[in-house]
Short mmCIF file of all heavy atoms in Angstrom, two decimals:
data_model
loop_
_atom_site.label_atom_id
_atom_site.label_comp_id
_atom_site.label_asym_id
_atom_site.label_seq_id
_atom_site.Cartn_x
_atom_site.Cartn_y
_atom_site.Cartn_z
N ALA B 1 -41.33 153.22 13.84
CA ALA B 1 -42.48 152.65 14.45
C ALA B 1 -42.73 153.01 15.83
O ALA B 1 -43.93 153.35 16.26
CB ALA B 1 -42.25 151.12 14.45
N ALA B 2 -41.56 153.26 16.60
CA ALA B 2 -41.78 153.79 18.02
C ALA B 2 -42.24 155.21 18.06
O ALA B 2 -43.14 155.55 18.87
CB ALA B 2 -40.53 153.60 18.71
N PHE B 3 -41.80 156.04 17.12
CA PHE B 3 -42.26 157.43 17.10
C PHE B 3 -43.63 157.43 16.69
O PHE B 3 -44.49 158.19 17.15
CB PHE B 3 -41.34 158.28 16.20
CG PHE B 3 -39.86 158.39 16.63
CD1 PHE B 3 -38.89 158.09 15.79
CD2 PHE B 3 -39.64 158.75 17.88
CE1 PHE B 3 -37.57 158.10 16.17
CE2 PHE B 3 -38.24 158.82 18.37
CZ PHE B 3 -37.28 158.50 17.48
N ALA B 4 -44.03 156.72 15.72
CA ALA B 4 -45.39 156.71 15.22
C ALA B 4 -46.33 156.11 16.26
O ALA B 4 -47.48 156.62 16.44
CB ALA B 4 -45.52 155.80 13.93
N ALA B 5 -45.91 155.17 17.06
CA ALA B 5 -46.65 154.59 18.24
C ALA B 5 -46.92 155.68 19.31
O ALA B 5 -48.04 155.79 19.85
CB ALA B 5 -45.98 153.44 18.86
N ALA B 6 -45.97 156.52 19.54
CA ALA B 6 -46.15 157.65 20.50
C ALA B 6 -47.23 158.59 19.92
O ALA B 6 -48.08 159.05 20.65
CB ALA B 6 -44.92 158.36 20.74
N ARG B 7 -47.18 158.91 18.69
CA ARG B 7 -48.21 159.72 18.07
C ARG B 7 -49.52 159.11 18.09
O ARG B 7 -50.55 159.82 18.26
CB ARG B 7 -47.77 160.01 16.60
CG ARG B 7 -48.61 161.13 15.91
CD ARG B 7 -48.37 162.44 16.59
NE ARG B 7 -49.29 163.56 16.21
CZ ARG B 7 -50.37 163.84 16.87
NH1 ARG B 7 -50.71 163.16 17.99
NH2 ARG B 7 -51.13 164.79 16.47
N ALA B 8 -49.61 157.81 17.87
CA ALA B 8 -50.87 157.09 17.90
C ALA B 8 -51.56 157.15 19.29
O ALA B 8 -52.83 157.11 19.43
CB ALA B 8 -50.77 155.70 17.47
N LEU B 9 -50.66 157.24 20.32
CA LEU B 9 -51.26 157.47 21.72
C LEU B 9 -51.76 158.87 21.96
O LEU B 9 -52.49 159.04 22.90
CB LEU B 9 -50.19 157.16 22.65
CG LEU B 9 -49.72 155.69 22.96
CD1 LEU B 9 -48.50 155.68 23.86
CD2 LEU B 9 -50.88 154.91 23.63
N GLY B 10 -51.52 159.76 21.00
CA GLY B 10 -52.02 161.11 21.24
C GLY B 10 -50.87 162.07 21.69
O GLY B 10 -51.17 163.25 21.89
N LEU B 11 -49.67 161.56 21.76
CA LEU B 11 -48.60 162.50 22.21
C LEU B 11 -48.26 163.52 21.06
O LEU B 11 -48.31 163.06 19.84
CB LEU B 11 -47.40 161.69 22.65
CG LEU B 11 -47.38 161.34 24.16
CD1 LEU B 11 -48.30 160.16 24.38
CD2 LEU B 11 -45.96 161.00 24.65
N GLU B 12 -47.72 164.57 21.32
CA GLU B 12 -47.38 165.56 20.43
C GLU B 12 -45.87 165.75 20.37
O GLU B 12 -45.29 166.28 19.37
CB GLU B 12 -47.98 166.94 20.78
CG GLU B 12 -49.39 167.00 20.74
CD GLU B 12 -49.95 168.30 21.49
OE1 GLU B 12 -49.57 168.53 22.56
OE2 GLU B 12 -50.71 169.05 20.74
N HIS B 13 -45.15 165.20 21.37
CA HIS B 13 -43.68 165.37 21.44
C HIS B 13 -43.04 164.01 21.63
O HIS B 13 -43.50 163.17 22.40
CB HIS B 13 -43.37 166.26 22.65
CG HIS B 13 -43.83 167.66 22.56
ND1 HIS B 13 -45.16 168.04 22.80
CD2 HIS B 13 -43.15 168.90 22.24
CE1 HIS B 13 -45.27 169.35 22.59
NE2 HIS B 13 -44.05 169.85 22.32
N VAL B 14 -41.90 163.90 21.01
CA VAL B 14 -41.03 162.74 21.23
C VAL B 14 -39.59 163.22 21.41
O VAL B 14 -39.22 164.46 21.09
CB VAL B 14 -40.96 161.66 20.03
CG1 VAL B 14 -42.42 161.10 19.95
CG2 VAL B 14 -40.41 162.35 18.80
N GLU B 15 -38.75 162.36 22.02
CA GLU B 15 -37.31 162.74 22.26
C GLU B 15 -36.49 161.79 21.48
O GLU B 15 -36.81 160.59 21.43
CB GLU B 15 -37.03 162.71 23.74
CG GLU B 15 -35.60 163.06 24.10
CD GLU B 15 -34.59 161.83 24.03
OE1 GLU B 15 -35.07 160.67 23.93
OE2 GLU B 15 -33.49 162.13 24.11
N THR B 16 -35.36 162.27 20.96
CA THR B 16 -34.38 161.37 20.28
C THR B 16 -32.94 161.99 20.53
O THR B 16 -32.79 163.21 20.56
CB THR B 16 -34.75 161.08 18.84
OG1 THR B 16 -33.86 160.02 18.32
CG2 THR B 16 -34.56 162.29 18.01
N ASP B 17 -32.06 161.04 20.27
CA ASP B 17 -30.59 161.55 20.21
C ASP B 17 -30.25 161.47 18.70
O ASP B 17 -30.86 160.79 17.92
CB ASP B 17 -29.80 160.58 21.03
CG ASP B 17 -30.09 160.63 22.48
OD1 ASP B 17 -29.79 161.40 23.29
OD2 ASP B 17 -30.99 159.78 22.84
N ALA B 18 -29.23 162.18 18.34
CA ALA B 18 -28.84 162.13 16.87
C ALA B 18 -27.30 162.05 16.93
O ALA B 18 -26.53 162.74 17.51
CB ALA B 18 -29.21 163.46 16.26
N HIS B 19 -26.83 161.09 15.98
CA HIS B 19 -25.46 160.81 15.76
C HIS B 19 -25.40 161.06 14.19
O HIS B 19 -26.31 161.12 13.49
CB HIS B 19 -25.02 159.43 16.03
CG HIS B 19 -24.98 159.22 17.55
ND1 HIS B 19 -23.85 159.50 18.37
CD2 HIS B 19 -25.82 158.66 18.38
CE1 HIS B 19 -24.08 159.21 19.52
NE2 HIS B 19 -25.29 158.73 19.66
N ALA B 20 -24.09 161.10 13.81
CA ALA B 20 -23.95 161.27 12.32
C ALA B 20 -23.04 160.08 11.77
O ALA B 20 -22.07 159.61 12.49
CB ALA B 20 -23.08 162.56 11.93
N THR B 21 -23.35 159.48 10.73
CA THR B 21 -22.50 158.54 9.98
C THR B 21 -21.26 159.12 9.41
O THR B 21 -21.06 160.29 9.44
CB THR B 21 -23.35 157.81 8.91
OG1 THR B 21 -23.57 158.83 7.84
CG2 THR B 21 -24.61 157.24 9.38
N ALA B 22 -20.38 158.29 8.94
CA ALA B 22 -19.07 158.69 8.44
C ALA B 22 -19.23 159.62 7.28
O ALA B 22 -18.43 160.47 6.99
CB ALA B 22 -18.27 157.43 8.13
N ASP B 23 -20.44 159.40 6.55
CA ASP B 23 -20.63 160.22 5.31
C ASP B 23 -21.64 161.28 5.59
O ASP B 23 -22.27 161.90 4.63
CB ASP B 23 -20.89 159.39 4.15
CG ASP B 23 -22.05 158.36 4.43
OD1 ASP B 23 -22.41 158.21 5.59
OD2 ASP B 23 -22.54 157.68 3.47
N GLY B 24 -21.84 161.66 6.83
CA GLY B 24 -22.61 162.84 7.18
C GLY B 24 -24.15 162.76 7.20
O GLY B 24 -24.79 163.79 6.86
N VAL B 25 -24.70 161.66 7.51
CA VAL B 25 -26.12 161.49 7.61
C VAL B 25 -26.47 161.43 9.14
O VAL B 25 -25.95 160.64 9.86
CB VAL B 25 -26.55 160.19 6.90
CG1 VAL B 25 -28.11 159.96 7.06
CG2 VAL B 25 -26.20 160.21 5.36
N ALA B 26 -27.40 162.24 9.47
CA ALA B 26 -27.93 162.33 10.81
C ALA B 26 -28.90 161.22 11.08
O ALA B 26 -29.78 161.06 10.25
CB ALA B 26 -28.58 163.72 11.18
N VAL B 27 -28.70 160.39 12.11
CA VAL B 27 -29.53 159.24 12.40
C VAL B 27 -30.06 159.49 13.80
O VAL B 27 -29.43 160.00 14.70
CB VAL B 27 -28.84 157.94 12.23
CG1 VAL B 27 -28.43 157.64 10.77
CG2 VAL B 27 -27.68 157.82 13.20
N ALA B 28 -31.40 158.97 14.00
CA ALA B 28 -31.95 159.03 15.30
C ALA B 28 -31.61 157.72 16.05
O ALA B 28 -32.06 156.60 15.76
CB ALA B 28 -33.49 159.12 15.07
N LEU B 29 -30.63 157.83 16.99
CA LEU B 29 -30.14 156.75 17.66
C LEU B 29 -29.56 157.28 19.01
O LEU B 29 -28.78 158.35 18.95
CB LEU B 29 -29.11 156.05 16.79
CG LEU B 29 -28.65 154.62 17.25
CD1 LEU B 29 -29.67 153.62 17.02
CD2 LEU B 29 -27.37 154.17 16.51
N HIS B 30 -29.77 156.47 20.05
CA HIS B 30 -29.14 156.97 21.33
C HIS B 30 -27.68 156.63 21.44
O HIS B 30 -26.88 157.56 21.76
CB HIS B 30 -29.90 156.32 22.51
CG HIS B 30 -29.30 156.70 23.83
ND1 HIS B 30 -28.30 155.96 24.43
CD2 HIS B 30 -29.53 157.74 24.67
CE1 HIS B 30 -27.95 156.50 25.59
NE2 HIS B 30 -28.66 157.65 25.70
N ASP B 31 -27.38 155.43 21.23
CA ASP B 31 -25.92 154.99 21.47
C ASP B 31 -25.06 155.45 20.34
O ASP B 31 -25.44 155.57 19.18
CB ASP B 31 -25.82 153.49 21.61
CG ASP B 31 -26.68 152.97 22.77
OD1 ASP B 31 -27.32 153.73 23.50
OD2 ASP B 31 -26.63 151.73 22.96
N GLU B 32 -23.80 155.66 20.56
CA GLU B 32 -22.82 155.90 19.63
C GLU B 32 -22.47 154.62 18.82
O GLU B 32 -21.97 154.73 17.65
CB GLU B 32 -21.57 156.53 20.19
CG GLU B 32 -20.74 155.60 21.11
CD GLU B 32 -19.53 156.23 21.62
OE1 GLU B 32 -19.24 157.40 21.44
OE2 GLU B 32 -18.79 155.54 22.30
N ARG B 33 -22.76 153.56 19.28
CA ARG B 33 -22.64 152.23 18.58
C ARG B 33 -23.87 151.56 18.25
O ARG B 33 -24.96 151.81 18.92
CB ARG B 33 -21.80 151.29 19.49
CG ARG B 33 -20.29 151.80 19.79
CD ARG B 33 -19.47 150.75 20.50
NE ARG B 33 -19.32 149.59 19.72
CZ ARG B 33 -18.25 149.50 18.84
NH1 ARG B 33 -17.39 150.42 18.74
NH2 ARG B 33 -18.09 148.45 18.11
N LEU B 34 -23.88 150.65 17.28
CA LEU B 34 -25.09 149.97 16.95
C LEU B 34 -25.38 148.69 17.78
O LEU B 34 -26.41 148.12 17.79
CB LEU B 34 -24.93 149.47 15.42
CG LEU B 34 -24.88 150.57 14.38
CD1 LEU B 34 -24.50 149.88 13.00
CD2 LEU B 34 -26.12 151.31 14.22
N ASP B 35 -24.32 148.31 18.56
CA ASP B 35 -24.34 147.00 19.23
C ASP B 35 -25.48 146.71 20.13
O ASP B 35 -26.16 145.63 20.11
CB ASP B 35 -23.00 146.79 20.05
CG ASP B 35 -21.80 147.03 19.16
OD1 ASP B 35 -21.72 148.04 18.44
OD2 ASP B 35 -20.89 146.18 19.27
N ARG B 36 -25.96 147.63 20.98
CA ARG B 36 -26.96 147.30 22.01
C ARG B 36 -28.35 147.16 21.43
O ARG B 36 -29.08 146.29 21.79
CB ARG B 36 -26.97 148.44 23.04
CG ARG B 36 -28.02 148.18 24.15
CD ARG B 36 -27.95 149.32 25.27
NE ARG B 36 -28.43 150.64 24.67
CZ ARG B 36 -29.65 150.97 24.58
NH1 ARG B 36 -30.62 150.17 25.05
NH2 ARG B 36 -29.96 152.18 24.12
N THR B 37 -28.78 148.10 20.49
CA THR B 37 -30.12 148.16 20.10
C THR B 37 -30.35 147.49 18.67
O THR B 37 -31.58 147.31 18.37
CB THR B 37 -30.65 149.61 20.10
OG1 THR B 37 -29.91 150.35 19.14
CG2 THR B 37 -30.49 150.22 21.40
N THR B 38 -29.31 147.11 18.02
CA THR B 38 -29.48 146.61 16.63
C THR B 38 -28.88 145.22 16.45
O THR B 38 -28.11 144.81 17.36
CB THR B 38 -29.01 147.53 15.53
OG1 THR B 38 -27.68 147.33 15.41
CG2 THR B 38 -29.36 149.00 15.88
N ASP B 39 -29.06 144.58 15.45
CA ASP B 39 -28.38 143.44 15.12
C ASP B 39 -27.07 143.46 14.34
O ASP B 39 -26.49 142.58 13.90
CB ASP B 39 -29.37 142.52 14.08
CG ASP B 39 -29.70 143.14 12.78
OD1 ASP B 39 -29.20 144.25 12.60
OD2 ASP B 39 -30.54 142.66 12.12
N ALA B 40 -26.60 144.75 14.41
CA ALA B 40 -25.32 145.01 13.73
C ALA B 40 -24.32 145.51 14.82
O ALA B 40 -24.76 145.72 15.99
CB ALA B 40 -25.44 146.05 12.67
N THR B 41 -23.10 145.78 14.50
CA THR B 41 -21.99 146.22 15.39
C THR B 41 -21.35 147.43 14.79
O THR B 41 -21.34 147.52 13.54
CB THR B 41 -21.06 145.14 15.73
OG1 THR B 41 -20.44 144.65 14.59
CG2 THR B 41 -21.79 143.90 16.43
N GLY B 42 -20.65 148.18 15.58
CA GLY B 42 -19.82 149.20 15.08
C GLY B 42 -20.18 150.59 15.52
O GLY B 42 -21.31 150.81 15.96
N LEU B 43 -19.21 151.53 15.47
CA LEU B 43 -19.29 152.86 15.81
C LEU B 43 -19.99 153.50 14.66
O LEU B 43 -19.52 153.53 13.54
CB LEU B 43 -18.00 153.45 15.99
CG LEU B 43 -17.89 154.89 16.69
CD1 LEU B 43 -18.38 154.89 18.12
CD2 LEU B 43 -16.54 155.39 16.68
N VAL B 44 -21.11 154.28 14.98
CA VAL B 44 -21.89 154.88 13.82
C VAL B 44 -21.08 155.92 13.16
O VAL B 44 -21.09 156.02 11.84
CB VAL B 44 -23.13 155.66 14.50
CG1 VAL B 44 -23.92 156.53 13.32
CG2 VAL B 44 -24.07 154.58 15.03
N ALA B 45 -20.30 156.66 13.89
CA ALA B 45 -19.43 157.68 13.20
C ALA B 45 -18.33 157.16 12.27
O ALA B 45 -17.83 157.81 11.42
CB ALA B 45 -18.79 158.60 14.32
N ALA B 46 -18.00 155.83 12.35
CA ALA B 46 -17.04 155.23 11.58
C ALA B 46 -17.68 154.46 10.38
O ALA B 46 -16.96 153.82 9.58
CB ALA B 46 -16.16 154.20 12.39
#
C-alpha cells in the first residue's frame, strides 16, 4: 500500500530494504525483526 501510494503521487522510484526468511524468501522490510513495524515478533531470518 505504501509503495502504491508513492506511485499514485507520481513518483517513479521507491526505496526498500530486503531481508530473507529462514526458508529463503526475500521480503521488503527495514528491520531485521518484525517487532517494531508489525503486530508480530521475531527475527525474520529465523
Side-chain angles (χ1 to χ4, degrees):
F3 296 129
R7 191 68 191 91
L9 284 172
L11 273 75
E12 300 168 302
H13 295 77
V14 298
E15 181 275 345
T16 188
D17 304 273
H19 292 275
T21 63
D23 49 351
V25 175
V27 296
L29 193 72
H30 175 267
D31 298 3
E32 63 179 10
R33 300 186 63 88
L34 296 172
D35 304 49
R36 180 180 66 86
T37 60
T38 80
D39 57 5
T41 61
L43 191 68
V44 172

